[in-house]
Amino acid sequence: MKFWTVLIALYGVGDGDVESRVLFPSEAECSAALQPMQAILEASYDDVAVLCERSTLLSASPRPKARGE
């Protein structure tokens, strides 16, 4: 089963912290985006943390698609 997964990026800007969230339809897709997102943010910011958090909401039906006749 596929669950919606949120990529959370935390980084410092000036005296404050910024939190950005990007929604992915699966944990695998979120995991694939972790390294590239980390590299992009580290090019501009010093204090960076990136993680994936899986939700409990299904992003795809658990039932198989009906076959054509």
Side-chain angles (χ1 to χ4, degrees), residues 29-62:
E29 290 175 67
C30 185
S31 294
L34 276 176
Q35 284 297 97
M37 182 63 78
Q38 178 116 14
I40 290 167
L41 292 173
E42 286 179 341
S44 299
Y45 306 102
D46 292 329
D47 191 19
V48 175
V50 182
L51 59 109
C52 289
E53 187 173 293
R54 193 175 83 173
S55 75
T56 57
L57 300 173
L58 289 173
S59 62
S61 174

Side-chain angles (χ1 to χ4, degrees), residues 1-4 24-26 57-65:
M1 284 191 272
K2 287 186 175 184
F3 293 90
W4 288 105
F24 288 90
S26 72
L57 300 173
L58 289 173
S59 62
S61 174
R63 295 188 180 103
K65 293 181 181 179

